[in-house]
Amino acid sequence: MKSNTILYGLLSLFILVSLSSCRKSYSAGDWDILPEKETPNPIDSGSNAPTKTLKVMSVNMRLSTIPDFATMITYIKEYSPDLLFLRQIDSATTRVEKVNRPQVMADSLGMEVFFKKNFDYQTGGFGNAVLSKFPIKEKVAQILRREDGNTAELRSAVMIRVEVEKDHDVYFAGTELDPSVVNNRNLQVVDLLNMTEKITEPVILVGNFNEQESANGQVLSYLKGSFTFACLGAGCPMNSPKASPTGIYDYITFKGAGGKLALSNYLAFPKSANTFLPMTASFKLKIEQ
């Protein structure tokens, strides 16, 4: 009897060791599958609730030559985002031959577009655009604050509400904050929080916040109070300079609205027509019947 007890004990220990050795390990660079701890409020896999996949992309559109625009369209088509943010994009300026680039991009991708001009430039404007494959139901734009008397380049935030499925809306917003004046950035992040704080539907906020996590600055600290950064603390994928990235200049963040939105993956897209690699993420939106 005693020998049987010992045998059963050894067998149980062998099974536990075998199971442990089969578990998948994760590394900070494995962006196709993120650790569960980095995706708060995941959709309950046992609920049998249907979900809708949303592919998101954030792209810097400051391009050096006219042909670079066509190249960037090709790269974006390759990823085929459902929601796309274009920062630093020209519209109808002479340096882009008066082409309405946000609209051309939308037409090429089969998307709807909302462009916000940060300021007049040449014969057109320079600013940010958000695009969607889903119907746009609402458009919001705001020029972000600067310190009194400060003459830094104007920055904007653009946001749309899209209907992913009937009675299932998502807000998608993008921005680029001041890269050089810290106090301007601190004011601008408060503007972002004020824009989104009362929204009860899922919100995806993307763009260049012009602050690295290592700086321990107020911008990321404030945003982390309201939005989930899936990569912070685990090693966000760097995206510039393209040849050998050393910094993060596009983030993708979200608020899941009580578990309605969950992150699937997060990575830098490997192709770009400028020095910034686009940032991408996939989400699953819970479709409640």
Side-chain angles (χ1 to χ4, degrees):
M1 185 70 177
K2 183 176 180 180
S3 61
N4 287 341
T5 301
I6 294 173
L7 180 60
Y8 289 143
L10 290 173
L11 181 60
S12 298
L13 179 61
F14 174 78
I15 292 171
L16 286 172
V17 171
S18 299
L19 288 173
S20 297
S21 65
C22 292
R23 288 175 183 162
K24 180 173 177 61
S25 61
Y26 297 95
S27 71
D30 187 358
W31 296 107
D32 288 329
I33 304 176
L34 291 174
E36 288 184 2
K37 67 179 181 180
E38 295 169 15
T39 55
N41 300 320
I43 294 171
D44 181 4
S45 60
S47 68
N48 295 320
T51 61
K52 178 80 171 181
T53 297
L54 307 178
K55 295 175 67 178
V56 175
M57 193 176 215
S58 179
V59 183
N60 179 292
M61 288 298 296
R62 187 180 283 273
L63 304 170
S64 299
T65 69
I66 298 298
D68 286 341
F69 180 59
T71 301
M72 192 67 94
I73 290 176
T74 299
Y75 292 156
I76 294 172
K77 277 184 178 179
E78 186 175 330
Y79 181 71
S80 188
D82 299 301
L83 298 168
L84 172 65
F85 174 57
L86 306 175
R87 57 185 178 88
Q88 297 192 30
I89 188 166
D90 281 72
S91 178
T93 62
T94 54
R95 67 181 176 186
V96 299
E97 300 179 340
K98 299 184 180 181
V99 171
N100 182 343
R101 282 187 166 182
Q103 190 61 57
V104 170
M105 179 72 76
D107 293 342
S108 299
L109 299 172
M111 304 177 83
E112 296 184 18
V113 62
F114 174 46
F115 170 70
K116 172 61 179 176
K117 178 173 60 177
N118 294 355
F119 51 84
D120 294 325
Y121 187 75
Q122 296 175 342
T123 54
F126 182 77
N128 298 317
V130 278
L131 294 83
S132 171
K133 286 184 178 177
F134 308 110
I136 296 177
K137 297 300 184 181
E138 182 182 356
K139 301 175 181 179
V140 179
Q142 180 178 337
I143 295 296
L144 303 177
R145 288 180 293 167
R146 301 176 294 189
E147 281 190 303
D148 291 343
N150 190 278
T151 58
E153 182 179 302
L154 288 172
R155 305 282 163 168
S156 71
V158 286
M159 181 168 66
I160 52 178
R161 176 172 60 88
V162 302
E163 185 180 50
V164 177
E165 296 276 354
K166 187 177 185 301
D167 299 324
H168 291 83
D169 293 351
V170 169
Y171 284 82
F172 179 59
T175 192
E176 176 159 17
L177 304 186
D178 192 310
S180 56
V181 182
V182 173
N183 287 341
N184 284 350
R185 280 201 301 277
N186 293 342
L187 289 171
Q188 291 163 3
V189 71
V190 173
D191 289 341
L192 293 178
L193 295 175
N194 287 337
M195 280 182 70
T196 57
E197 68 174 347
K198 294 182 179 179
I199 297 174
T200 57
E201 298 298 324
V203 182
I204 300 171
L205 171 65
V206 308
N208 185 3
F209 305 140
N210 272 308
E211 187 173 277
Q212 304 298 310
E213 186 182 11
S214 59
N216 294 316
Q218 292 187 25
V219 170
L220 297 188
S221 177
Y222 284 178
L223 286 172
K224 283 188 285 186
S226 297
F227 288 87
T228 296
F229 286 72
C231 63
L232 290 185
C236 294
M238 296 181 180
N239 68 323
S240 186
K242 176 175 62 176
S244 183
T246 58
I248 304 157
Y249 298 94
D250 285 88
Y251 289 98
I252 296 177
T253 75
F254 68 102
K255 293 198 290 187
K260 292 181 181 178
L261 191 68
L263 182 72
S264 298
N265 61 41
Y266 187 115
L267 67 161
F269 190 73
K271 299 177 183 179
S272 177
N274 61 24
T275 189
F276 295 88
L277 295 173
M279 199 65 73
T280 68
S282 292
F283 295 89
K284 289 191 181 298
L285 177 68
K286 185 176 180 179
I287 306 299
E288 298 173 334
Q289 302 300 313

